[in-house]
Amino acid sequence: ILNSHLSLWCQQVTGVQRAARSQVAGELRRCWRLQSQPLVSQAGAFLGYRLSLPAVPVGRLPTLPAAVHFSHVTSLTLTGMELTDSSDSFLQRFFNVRWLNLASNRFANIPAALLSMPRLSEVNLSGNQISLTGSGAGRLSALTSVEVLHLENNPLSTLPNLSDMVHLRRLYLRNTQQQQFPAGLSNHLFLILV
């Protein structure tokens, strides 16, 4: 079922973009077969698998059926792929991700799929086009397990309320056009603001 969806996704475009999608499809197939890089803690405990897709312009990611999931992936890197807000259905298939890197794409909003990743501890959304509307700020505030959040180099119009983000230890806000501190900052005695 995965192969047919990936093949269809590759055939929807031509030229350089088809080659880019074929490369990404190959990485997804390897990951599906548990041939991705395993993640191991310093103590030697198995943490899951890492999927790092190549930084090639695919435009949008494939839509995968509900029966296809990548629950074995705990680290997901999708940087420099020109991804947009249409990536939610793909991201929802990675519900056990702890480390998510979506830097240097074209997201204008916080992906709703982040709410279906309850184990997230680090999220990198730097270098996108996120303006952070009220709903996006609400999504970020709901990520209560996040310890590290990268929002730098985005034209943020507002900041998330940090009150419920009790595990947050590092918040990166450089070049976000913000002149004030986020609400709820006083609840975080050990937060490093960069």
Side-chain angles (χ1 to χ4, degrees):
I1 191 165
L2 175 65
N3 276 330
S4 62
H5 279 81
L6 292 177
S7 295
L8 179 62
W9 177 64
C10 290
Q11 293 168 6
Q12 292 171 345
V13 293
T14 60
V16 174
Q17 199 169 35
R18 180 178 281 187
R21 286 188 178 191
S22 293
Q23 187 179 3
V24 167
E27 289 298 320
L28 288 169
R29 287 182 183 103
R30 279 187 281 287
C31 181
W32 181 256
R33 295 188 303 255
L34 305 179
Q35 295 173 336
S36 293
Q37 180 184 3
L39 287 173
V40 181
S41 73
Q42 291 179 343
F46 176 73
L47 300 174
Y49 288 90
R50 175 188 325 250
L51 175 59
S52 183
L53 294 180
V56 293
V58 296
R60 66 172 184 82
L61 292 166
T63 301
L64 301 175
V68 173
H69 60 83
F70 289 83
S71 59
H72 56 285
V73 174
T74 55
S75 176
L76 180 60
T77 300
L78 308 172
T79 60
M81 297 178 71
E82 299 183 7
L83 302 179
T84 65
D85 296 330
S86 66
S87 303
D88 263 346
S89 64
F90 178 84
L91 292 172
Q92 288 174 348
R93 303 297 170 244
F94 295 85
F95 49 82
N96 279 330
V97 167
R98 294 173 62 186
W99 302 279
L100 179 63
N101 188 345
L102 298 174
S104 303
N105 282 294
R106 294 184 180 177
F107 288 99
N109 298 296
I110 303 299
L114 272 60
L115 297 176
S116 64
M117 300 175 181
R119 299 180 65 210
L120 276 176
S121 65
E122 183 168 351
V123 179
N124 188 340
L125 293 165
S126 64
N128 279 281
Q129 300 166 1
I130 298 170
S131 62
L132 202 59
T133 61
S135 62
R139 287 179 192 145
L140 282 179
S141 297
L143 302 177
T144 57
S145 63
V146 169
E147 298 172 16
V148 180
L149 180 59
H150 294 265
L151 292 173
E152 64 264 34
N153 300 312
N154 280 293
L156 303 181
S157 57
T158 187
L159 290 171
N161 186 322
L162 306 180
S163 297
D164 294 331
M165 300 179 79
V166 295
H167 297 287
L168 191 63
R169 297 294 173 257
R170 289 185 181 270
L171 177 61
Y172 296 86
L173 293 173
R174 281 193 192 134
N175 299 319
T176 57
Q177 304 173 5
Q178 286 298 308
Q179 303 297 320
Q180 59 191 10
F181 290 111
L185 186 63
S186 60
N187 299 349
H188 298 279
L189 300 176
F190 302 107
L191 177 67
I192 297 172
L193 201 60
V194 183

